[in-house]
Amino acid sequence: MRRIIVIGLLVAMMVACRPSLRSTTTAPVDSPSLVQSETETLNLTLIQHASCPWAYFWCVVETGIHDAAQDLGVEVTIRRPHTFDPDAVTQLIESAIDGPIRPDAIGVAVIDPDRFRAPLTQAVQKFNIPVIAYNAGSGPKQDNIPYRAYIGPDERQGGYEGGKRLLAESPSAVKGACINHQPGALNLEARCQGFFDALQEAGVAAEQVNITPNPAESEKILQRYVTQKPEVNVFLTLGPEAAVPFYQVISNRKDTYSHGTFDLSRTILTAIEQGTTLFAIDQQPYLEGYLTVQWLTWIQRHGFSPPSEIISTGPSFIDATNVDLMQQQVGEYR
């Protein structure tokens, strides 16, 4: 039943494919000679800045990756550092293209286009390796990297729409805080920027609060912050890693505040049900993983071109009106 649901959804998005196998051609991706002969398995490398199980969000992305690999009959290697480290991600990209056996195609979460530009450009232009950005990126033109497409949300738009919605629910908004658990990740910085823009339009001040992926340490940082800044009453967290310590701190607060977050977990869905959190902004991480594998496979096997340079998977809002449906999907598709 799960496969039927997934494939039905992907067909509606112009994505369906039957597996075949690959040859070792290095023709440009737009060349008719690219289409793979049925000789051996296609090998893809996906490089990201976080992973399951230490980041819940990535468990859902990786479920999509593994499901697509199984459905399409390809081999996928996921590479990631042990902690958030853009320099380490750059090294993983370089080692993938400089190794003795290069992948047939590469997917990368482009959290820092300036760092990633040189190795990804080399992969495309020197070695004719198709590249797709997923989860983090702004599109090949804005990132100035010749990858084929970006699959993921518009991060700034998500932050902007979240800020507008928080203001609509907070007529007494005094000051806002964007709580960032991975400072320096440009996709998360874009979420905060959208939030700031929305609040600035309404004449409400806002600032970024940097925490860490460590929940205990983050709880201490946030406790100091809310104690020192009691006037802040509009909060946006950028994922479960920020929402969980926020809930621990805010549970003792007696005055009125408004909270929204990015991404989902059972804890966040429960907070929506209880009214602690107004909404979660969903970027459909399962599709980020599934569609990345699918499009890399289609490019190599059939010479297909993505329908646009940006294939948006979000943002969408999860709130009290649809939280019951999300509870049925959390941990697998959400």
Side-chain angles (χ1 to χ4, degrees), residues 35 90 117 122 130 139 242 319:
V35 177
T90 305
R117 184 170 297 116
Q122 183 184 41
D319 56 24

Side-chain angles (χ1 to χ4, degrees), residues 1-331:
M1 178 62 71
R2 178 166 63 85
R3 286 287 185 272
I4 293 173
I5 293 171
V6 172
I7 298 304
L9 173 60
L10 296 173
V11 167
M13 298 180 64
M14 300 174 59
V15 283
C17 179
R18 291 185 180 275
S20 61
L21 299 173
R22 73 158 180 131
S23 72
T24 57
T25 179
T26 57
V29 292
D30 289 323
S31 168
S33 64
L34 171 78
V35 177
Q36 303 290 317
S37 64
E38 297 184 2
T39 58
E40 52 186 302
T41 302
L42 197 66
N43 291 287
L44 313 180
T45 293
L46 270 61
I47 302 169
Q48 51 201 44
H49 54 282
S51 66
C52 183
W54 57 272
Y56 166 86
F57 171 90
W58 285 96
C59 295
V60 183
V61 176
E62 292 177 22
T63 296
I65 291 170
H66 296 312
D67 282 355
Q70 180 180 339
D71 290 348
L72 298 169
V74 300
E75 296 291 334
V76 176
T77 300
I78 300 174
R79 307 187 69 182
R80 62 281 210 196
H82 296 297
T83 61
F84 178 76
D85 186 343
D87 288 329
V89 178
T90 305
Q91 293 170 7
L92 291 175
I93 298 169
E94 293 170 345
S95 65
I97 64 175
D98 291 336
I101 301 176
R102 295 188 182 93
D104 296 297
I106 294 174
V108 181
V110 182
I111 57 170
D112 194 324
D114 290 339
R115 280 187 172 93
F116 298 174
R117 184 170 297 116
L120 290 180
T121 299
Q122 183 184 41
V124 173
Q125 296 183 347
K126 181 177 181 179
F127 299 114
N128 294 318
I129 300 174
V131 175
I132 279 182
Y134 70 106
N135 173 257
S138 300
K141 287 187 176 66
Q142 186 167 335
D143 288 340
N144 192 24
I145 300 173
Y147 56 75
R148 298 299 300 274
Y150 163 61
I151 299 174
D154 184 327
E155 302 286 23
R156 183 206 163 272
Q157 188 66 26
Y160 180 82
E161 293 182 9
K164 297 288 282 187
R165 189 156 178 172
L166 283 168
L167 288 174
E169 300 284 347
S170 311
S172 59
V174 176
K175 187 175 182 179
C178 182
I179 302 171
N180 189 344
H181 58 281
Q182 286 182 337
L186 297 190
N187 58 323
L188 300 192
E189 301 284 346
R191 294 177 180 181
C192 282
Q193 187 58 56
F195 175 73
F196 298 152
D197 292 344
L199 269 63
Q200 183 178 22
E201 288 179 3
V204 177
E207 60 189 4
Q208 182 167 311
V209 182
N210 293 335
I211 58 174
T212 78
N214 183 299
E217 183 178 351
S218 294
E219 186 175 336
K220 293 178 182 177
I221 296 171
L222 290 175
Q223 185 61 67
R224 287 195 298 268
Y225 179 78
V226 299
T227 299
Q228 295 169 1
K229 302 286 185 71
E231 72 277 13
V232 177
N233 61 352
V234 179
F235 297 92
L236 181 70
T237 51
L238 303 186
E241 297 91 338
V244 171
F246 172 80
Y247 291 141
Q248 295 298 319
V249 169
I250 211 69
S251 62
N252 296 322
R253 185 158 170 167
K254 304 303 181 183
D255 57 333
T256 302
Y257 66 91
S258 297
H259 173 245
T261 190
F262 277 81
D263 303 330
L264 297 177
S265 69
R266 293 197 182 279
T267 300
I268 288 172
L269 291 176
T270 298
I272 293 173
E273 290 177 330
Q274 294 174 345
T276 304
T277 296
L278 292 174
F279 59 79
I281 302 171
D282 183 27
Q283 57 182 299
Q284 301 185 109
Y286 181 92
L287 286 183
E288 291 178 1
Y290 197 104
L291 294 180
T292 298
V293 172
Q294 190 161 53
W295 271 109
L296 289 173
T297 301
W298 279 4
I299 289 167
Q300 280 293 60
R301 285 182 173 165
H302 308 299
F304 288 170
S305 295
S308 65
E309 292 183 344
I310 297 176
I311 301 174
S312 180
T313 65
S316 63
F317 281 87
I318 311 303
D319 56 24
T321 66
N322 56 4
V323 68
D324 290 343
L325 174 61
M326 297 305 108
Q327 286 283 23
Q328 300 171 28
Q329 300 186 7
V330 70

